[in-house]
Amino acid sequence: MFAVHLVSFFFSKLQEDPTKKVDRFLYSMCLNDGQLSDISARFQAEMKKGLSIESNAAAAVKMLPAHVRSTPDGTEKGQFLALDLGGSKFKVLQVKVREGTGIRKGEVEMEEQTYPVPRELLSGRGTELFDHVSKCLKDFLHEKNISLEKKHPLAFTFSFPCEQSSLNKALFLNWSKHYRARGLQGKDMIQALREAIDRTGVLALVNDTVATMMTCGFDDQHCEVGLIIGTGTNACYMEEMRHVDLVEGDEGRMCVNTEWGAFGDDGALKDYITEFDRDVDAASSNPGRQIFEKMVGGMYLGELVRLVVLKMAKQGLLFDGCVSDALRTKGRITTANVAAMEEYKNGLKNTRDILMDLDLTPSPDDCIAVQHVSTIVSFRSSNLVAAGLAAILTRIQQNRNLRTLRITVGVDGTVYKTHPQYPKRLHKVVRRLVPDCHVRFLLSDSGSSKGAALVAAVAQRLASQRQKSLSPFTLSQGQLQLVKARMRVGLEAGLRSKGPSAIKMLPSFVYHRPNGTERGKYLALDLGGTNFRALLVHFKKGLQQKTRLYHKLYTIPLEIMQGTGEDLFDYLAACVSDFLDYMGVKHAHLPTGFTFSFPCEQTSIATGTLVSWTKGFKATDCEGHDVVNMLQEAIKRRNEFDLDIAAVVNDTVGTMMSCAYEDPQCEIGLIAGTGTNVCYMEEKKAGDVETEKMCINTEWGGLGDDGSLDDIITPYDIEVDKQSLNPGKQRFEKLTSGMYLGEVVRQVLLDLTRGGLLFRGHVTETLKTPGIFQTKYLSQIESDHLALLQVRSVLQQLGLESTCNDSMIVKEVCGAVSRRAAQLCGAGMAAVVDKIRENRGLDHLNITVGVDGALYKQHPHFAGILHDTAKVLAPQCNVTFLPSEEGSGKGAALITAVQKREGQNRKD
Ligand code: BG6
Ligand code: BG6
Ligand code: GLC
Ligand code: GLC
């Protein structure tokens, strides 16, 4: 007996090392560092392709923006339900996140339950799969005594590729791994889940890589990469927004789910694919797809080993050429087997047991050889992951222009967690491939749901902020109809009223619109929102010849706007004097039109008594006085020149006239600027004056001064009104015009900041300063193309340090406030055009509105929303909006010219 043993011992010593023949057989699976660097470079190119908007459609590696903009910062809190679907286990969880302070992060408590997913559901109808998810969730709620009635916020880890436009909109792209349920492609997974579960608010959907990064980021702030080596494989990382073409905005970072499992689907790995990979792919449920995943993921490693062992056996290289039925059966070697075979001490024994289980009779050499097959297959997997990871780390390093990068990679997945050698091998190769990166690998030992809940917590905070501050600015169609109706009532009441009314409906004594026969040289003075403009207008013969226009702009200092009336008019006279000098027409005694953009009671075209100041003006001793007279007096005081002020007009009237010169259908003038107002051609009686058509300056900004808008006025509006120069007055104007919108925004931001929801709860002096948000800033903030970069820079200019979330909220606040403004103006306009239509007894009215004002002309969305609202609320009117090109001064000059012409006609 002893002799036999001795012989076989010597014999085996003489035989070749069994690992050598495996090395030879599997040489194409053994990748050296050069090859790995090459694969890494290819993956880098794929990432670029996926990120770019031009090449994304054709890219195999989809690089999906995850809409997660920051890693955890400790301010997340809340109680969530969580679903974790797509890994080897389907889990339902309850996650409680308690907020931490300072460097102490909060705490997370979790309770979880694993539920099986029946095989038939994996390939059944998608709705059935979601119904099952819903059933398990209900069971969990029941088990844990959680109320079924309450609406629970929910975080959803969904470990498949989705195209997300936000955290709660995720269009499903395709299945991978062992799932292939039908009918979900292109569908919103949040919606699908909502349809299956009632009373549960789904806040955020995240990929498992993203959730893993967040889980690990909770403990290590350097964690900016998430890696899964489980059933499937995938990685995500924080990319610079400027490279994420698919999402608007350039500022900050966003997590990108690479979906690297699809690397190679376009042939990029052709020369590294072995016949075994091809066989695994051909036998899979998604042939031709997830090529990289099939070389790496736990779902395929056992199968690769089986196919190699089977072929070697068939070639007589193992088991003396014997093959069993079990070895021929798909799925009989699992990844758990692979891990067991490579165990440090028991590996060979495990290998023998596994092979015996497959009805084989392995020799000790067979066991060594099969163990080595396992090693090569799993080593290739970790090497490929190392190559992919090296590409990501290099990209991050280049993005940030760093010589060395310190970063943490959060990892999860059964292969990484259960294979004894895998982590060490992976770490070593990564460090070799990217020696300048100090990489820490952090195992997510609690699964991905903690991270998903952290994402949901941020989403919930944003949602509640939105809800709290923005919902009062949302007006329903019904409310807008009511505003239209109230405007109409206000217009009619103003026309009828002899005394003061909310909407003043001031006769302008402008009866005629220009007819093109106007000519000559005129002076126009234009006192608008904050500027004073002086113009020299020369109407040439006929419409064909261009009008010549020269002008100069004078800003009016605040102390003049709000000083004494005498100083104000002296200042205007000084500006006129300067302009006449500048134009060399000091002694021409030109006929002059005066655009005065405040409510004036007129008894003729050439006189106007200021009713009350509006907007930013509050000069003393002007209200109740004739503004033409005050200007004439100031000119007299200068004793330098003389003017013949033939007409005083409101800016709306000037604008209408100016546009009517281009378009005879223009019978309405609208200003949406510092203030807001409308004038239109009225047919009937205006106040006491019996007239045919006369232009009426509505002064619609006063709507609501009698309380008729109280139901839509928010606490922010009340604050803005209180702090204004004219509390209780111009309530509609304060909801809709440039001088106030920024203030409304500031009030909302103050409130959010005081509540700790914005700017880290830090109320700065700047934020407390009235008037910081000028209309031009609102326009910039809302400008689509510049998006968050612009928001950040505007806020920076204002001395407000903002995070990415802050910028998003500020943009949303601006959007809500300006949207409401535009809708209200649209509702008002609908009332005006319908009134004109009814005045004329028409079923349908075609009409043009001449428009001016910075809000209308410069804001990216205001005009569009205004047009749309007017169209919906006045469906029987076809309204054309014509922006005034040269301001209302030209209109004032035209009125003067018409006045002169009509006067001339009367004389003739
Ligand atoms: C789990 C996570 O720990 O790992 C899942 O909670 C993830 O979200 C999974 O999908 C990946 O590993 P495996 O091996 O289960 O596919
Ligand atoms: C100007 C007109 O173009 O627009 C002024 O000439 C008018 O008369 C002004 O008052 C309104 O816009 P804003 O934005 O300056 O208030
Ligand atoms: C598959 C999925 C991917 C997921 C990965 C790990 O590759 O497509 O979304 O992250 O598996 O679970
Ligand atoms: C204010 C004025 C009004 C003017 C409007 C636009 O509402 O009261 O007269 O037309 O601002 O400038």
Side-chain angles (χ1 to χ4, degrees):
M1 190 63 179
F2 176 70
V4 174
H5 269 293
L6 203 64
V7 169
S8 76
F9 174 78
F10 277 115
F11 191 64
S12 72
K13 272 284 150 201
L14 287 177
Q15 264 192 344
E16 186 192 28
D17 175 353
T19 61
K20 288 273 170 0
K21 67 178 173 201
V22 175
D23 284 341
R24 261 200 315 278
F25 194 76
L26 287 183
Y27 73 95
S28 57
M29 274 197 185
C30 304
L31 303 170
N32 61 36
D33 281 6
Q35 289 171 308
L36 292 178
S37 295
D38 173 45
I39 292 171
S40 192
R42 291 185 197 191
F43 185 60
Q44 271 200 61
E46 290 295 309
M47 285 201 286
K48 258 199 192 150
K49 203 166 155 189
L51 283 169
S52 147
I53 202 149
E54 282 93 39
S55 45
N56 175 271
V61 178
K62 282 294 174 221
M63 305 296 282
L64 303 165
H67 294 268
V68 167
R69 292 175 188 259
S70 56
T71 47
D73 67 3
T75 60
E76 301 81 4
K77 61 174 180 209
Q79 187 168 325
F80 305 90
L81 291 173
L83 294 172
D84 184 353
L85 182 75
S88 52
K89 288 177 187 156
F90 164 48
K91 289 188 237 170
V92 184
L93 306 92
Q94 187 178 30
V95 188
K96 292 180 192 165
V97 188
R98 262 190 278 282
E99 189 181 11
T101 47
I103 47 164
R104 248 188 68 81
K105 291 268 173 88
E107 287 163 23
V108 179
E109 261 176 44
M110 300 207 299
E111 284 189 83
E112 67 172 59
Q113 179 95 40
T114 300
Y115 292 89
V117 180
R119 261 184 106 75
E120 62 275 17
L121 288 186
L122 296 175
S123 50
R125 283 215 308 271
T127 45
E128 288 166 357
L129 177 64
F130 276 98
D131 285 345
H132 175 70
V133 168
S134 159
K135 218 171 91 230
C136 298
L137 183 65
K138 282 196 185 121
D139 175 83
F140 180 81
L141 294 176
H142 184 72
E143 279 282 303
K144 303 284 174 206
N145 263 330
I146 305 171
S147 155
L148 275 159
E149 298 307 312
K150 248 183 83 191
K151 187 172 169 176
H152 302 282
L154 190 137
F156 186 18
T157 305
F158 184 67
S159 308
F160 301 97
C162 286
E163 213 168 75
Q164 295 193 246
S165 51
S166 67
L167 281 174
N168 63 3
K169 195 160 175 64
L171 302 186
F172 174 65
L173 292 179
N174 52 266
W175 291 119
S176 50
K177 302 177 283 194
H178 41 285
Y179 281 75
R180 55 199 154 108
R182 299 185 304 273
L184 292 178
Q185 210 162 1
K187 298 251 163 73
D188 179 7
M189 291 297 93
I190 298 267
Q191 196 50 36
L193 191 59
R194 274 190 190 137
E195 277 161 21
I197 322 167
D198 26 277
R199 277 193 289 281
T200 297
V202 188
L203 283 170
L205 180 144
V206 282
N207 186 261
D208 52 355
T209 52
V210 182
T212 299
M213 180 187 80
M214 294 298 279
T215 298
C216 296
F218 193 68
D219 299 317
D220 178 344
Q221 61 172 20
H222 294 291
C223 183
E224 294 190 85
V225 179
L227 172 64
I228 299 284
I229 314 158
T231 315
T233 184
N234 193 9
C236 73
Y237 71 102
M238 295 302 288
E239 174 60 89
E240 308 301 308
M241 272 298 286
R242 64 177 187 276
H243 295 146
V244 185
D245 281 5
L246 300 173
V247 181
E248 197 181 89
D250 277 347
E251 195 243 344
R253 293 180 185 148
M254 181 178 278
C255 182
V256 169
N257 164 19
T258 64
E259 284 295 330
W260 78 9
F263 178 28
D265 289 10
D266 56 357
L269 288 173
K270 215 162 58 206
D271 35 351
Y272 291 104
I273 304 262
T274 66
E275 57 174 301
F276 308 105
D277 298 312
R278 272 190 286 276
D279 288 348
V280 163
D281 179 45
S284 69
S285 61
N286 53 352
R289 309 195 75 152
Q290 301 291 99
I291 297 300
F292 186 69
E293 179 158 271
K294 286 171 187 165
M295 299 163 91
V296 169
M299 185 163 158
Y300 310 96
L301 293 186
E303 195 52 14
L304 282 170
V305 170
R306 185 185 68 84
L307 291 173
V308 174
V309 171
L310 178 65
K311 182 150 189 210
M312 286 183 80
K314 278 185 180 164
Q315 290 189 4
L317 293 168
L318 291 171
F319 322 125
D320 285 333
C322 290
V323 174
S324 66
D325 280 348
L327 185 62
R328 280 200 194 90
T329 310
K330 187 180 164 195
R332 281 302 299 267
I333 297 182
T334 63
T335 302
N337 295 152
V338 174
M341 289 195 266
E342 290 180 62
E343 245 179 51
Y344 177 54
K345 273 190 188 142
N346 297 326
L348 274 180
K349 184 184 167 297
N350 291 344
T351 309
R352 196 178 120 85
D353 292 348
I354 290 162
L355 293 174
M356 303 265 284
D357 254 7
L358 293 170
D359 307 325
L360 297 162
T361 342
S363 68
D365 273 5
D366 285 339
C367 293
I368 293 171
V370 171
Q371 185 186 48
H372 197 56
V373 170
S374 262
T375 305
I376 288 179
V377 167
S378 65
F379 219 131
R380 185 183 66 154
S381 163
S382 65
N383 276 344
L384 289 171
V385 170
L389 204 51
I392 290 178
L393 298 177
T394 307
R395 186 170 170 90
I396 296 176
Q397 193 174 7
Q398 283 168 358
N399 275 345
R400 300 184 192 175
N401 221 351
L402 295 172
R403 283 185 52 205
T404 57
L405 174 70
R406 188 172 157 213
I407 198 157
T408 299
V409 177
V411 201
D412 205 344
T414 30
V415 174
Y416 187 86
K417 283 198 288 207
T418 58
H419 190 289
Q421 330 277 358
Y422 202 100
K424 247 188 264 153
R425 290 178 192 158
L426 172 69
H427 303 171
K428 207 166 150 187
V429 179
V430 170
R431 288 181 185 128
R432 233 170 37 225
L433 293 179
V434 273
D436 291 339
C437 289
H438 302 290
V439 194
R440 177 177 180 228
F441 289 86
L442 187 59
L443 176 68
S444 153
D445 44 12
S446 51
S448 67
S449 293
K450 180 158 121 185
L454 293 172
V455 174
V458 174
Q460 188 181 46
R461 190 172 64 193
L462 287 176
S464 73
Q465 282 163 357
R466 262 172 225 135
Q467 179 63 22
K468 179 176 177 302
S469 58
L470 301 185
S471 63
F473 292 96
T474 310
L475 299 175
S476 65
Q477 278 302 311
Q479 283 174 305
L480 290 171
Q481 287 284 7
L482 273 177
V483 172
K484 176 190 169 191
R486 290 169 190 168
M487 180 64 86
R488 178 66 187 268
V489 169
L491 295 172
E492 302 295 354
L495 278 179
R496 277 195 315 270
S497 151
K498 293 204 166 67
S501 56
I503 301 184
K504 298 187 181 69
M505 302 298 274
L506 302 165
S508 70
F509 293 85
V510 169
Y511 304 95
H512 305 277
R513 282 168 301 123
N515 62 9
T517 62
E518 299 75 15
R519 52 206 58 141
K521 275 188 190 168
Y522 300 88
L523 187 67
L525 307 176
D526 181 359
L527 183 66
T530 41
N531 292 320
F532 178 60
R533 269 211 306 176
L535 306 91
L536 186 66
V537 189
H538 188 179
F539 298 108
K540 301 276 184 76
K541 261 191 212 149
L543 282 174
Q544 305 83 312
Q545 286 203 322
K546 264 213 150 307
T547 306
R548 303 284 291 267
L549 208 138
Y550 309 88
H551 76 112
K552 207 169 165 189
L553 200 75
Y554 301 87
T555 47
I556 303 179
L558 192 72
E559 62 273 19
I560 296 284
M561 286 160 87
Q562 298 176 12
T564 68
E566 202 169 293
D567 284 351
L568 170 64
F569 282 93
D570 280 347
Y571 183 82
L572 300 185
C575 298
V576 178
S577 164
D578 173 79
F579 181 69
L580 295 175
D581 280 338
Y582 173 72
M583 295 304 304
V585 289
K586 193 98 187 227
H587 303 292
H589 195 78
L590 291 169
T592 303
F594 183 16
T595 306
F596 185 72
S597 309
F598 303 92
C600 282
E601 200 87 68
Q602 292 188 260
T603 49
S604 76
I605 182 82
T607 58
T609 305
L610 175 63
V611 182
S612 53
W613 284 119
T614 53
K615 302 179 281 192
F617 280 72
K618 194 133 186 97
T620 56
D621 304 321
C622 296
E623 292 176 353
H625 297 278
D626 178 9
V627 294
V628 177
N629 205 19
M630 284 191 279
L631 184 58
Q632 295 283 26
E633 289 295 315
I635 292 170
K636 252 193 230 153
R637 279 197 290 280
R638 276 195 86 80
N639 199 17
E640 264 185 282
F641 62 93
D642 205 2
L643 288 185
D644 165 19
I645 305 178
V648 57
V649 297
N650 187 261
D651 53 354
T652 52
V653 183
T655 300
M656 180 190 82
M657 290 300 269
S658 174
C659 293
Y661 195 63
E662 317 291 329
D663 176 351
Q665 267 193 9
C666 180
E667 295 188 80
I668 301 178
L670 165 68
I671 300 286
T674 314
T676 183
N677 194 11
V678 152
C679 73
Y680 72 100
M681 295 305 286
E682 172 61 80
E683 336 268 313
K684 291 184 186 155
K685 195 177 149 186
D688 272 344
V689 188
E690 283 293 345
T691 163
E692 264 311 288
K693 271 192 189 179
M694 187 207 269
C695 180
I696 301 292
N697 165 21
T698 66
E699 289 291 329
W700 78 358
L703 176 69
D705 291 5
D706 53 1
S708 67
L709 292 177
D710 285 0
D711 53 341
I712 60 163
I713 281 175
T714 69
Y716 309 113
D717 301 310
I718 292 173
E719 204 47 49
V720 170
D721 178 51
K722 259 197 221 156
Q723 294 186 13
S724 69
L725 288 175
N726 50 352
K729 297 273 158 52
Q730 299 291 96
R731 302 309 298 269
F732 185 71
E733 180 159 83
K734 286 171 188 163
L735 306 178
T736 50
S737 76
M739 180 159 166
Y740 306 98
L741 296 193
E743 276 302 280
V744 180
V745 166
R746 191 177 67 87
Q747 289 300 334
V748 178
L749 300 185
L750 263 176
D751 186 38
L752 290 173
T753 312
R754 286 192 184 118
L757 302 169
L758 196 64
F759 303 131
R760 299 186 182 274
H762 191 53
V763 178
T764 56
E765 282 308 310
T766 330
L767 202 55
K768 285 194 255 170
T769 314
I772 48 156
F773 280 101
Q774 298 165 20
T775 322
K776 67 170 185 201
Y777 290 140
L778 295 200
S779 297
Q780 280 174 22
I781 284 175
E782 285 190 64
S783 139
D784 276 344
H785 309 295
L786 303 167
L788 292 180
L789 182 68
Q790 193 70 3
V791 184
R792 184 82 172 257
S793 96
V794 169
L795 293 177
Q796 250 163 11
Q797 273 176 52
L798 296 175
L800 299 168
E801 271 311 317
S802 59
T803 64
C804 216
N805 280 341
D806 290 342
S807 303
M808 272 196 306
I809 296 169
V810 171
K811 191 174 172 196
E812 267 190 63
V813 173
C814 291
V817 171
S818 65
R819 183 178 180 78
R820 180 187 67 162
Q823 286 179 324
L824 289 173
C825 273
M829 185 51 75
V832 172
V833 291
D834 256 353
K835 174 171 165 51
I836 298 176
R837 184 181 61 76
E838 285 172 29
N839 276 350
R840 299 181 190 174
L842 298 173
D843 282 339
H844 188 86
L845 174 74
N846 281 324
I847 198 159
T848 299
V849 181
V851 204
D852 209 338
L855 192 57
Y856 185 90
K857 284 181 167 171
Q858 283 158 26
H859 192 279
H861 311 304
F862 185 91
I865 299 171
L866 161 65
H867 302 168
D868 292 349
T869 313
K871 195 168 174 185
V872 171
L873 296 183
Q876 287 163 278
C877 300
N878 179 21
V879 188
T880 307
F881 290 84
L882 180 64
S884 143
E885 276 179 14
E886 283 140 338
S888 66
K890 178 177 160 189
L894 274 168
I895 292 166
T896 313
V898 173
Q899 192 60 21
K900 291 276 154 199
R901 190 187 64 209
E902 294 301 311
Q904 199 60 45
N905 287 347
R906 272 196 295 277
K907 264 189 232 154
D908 297 345

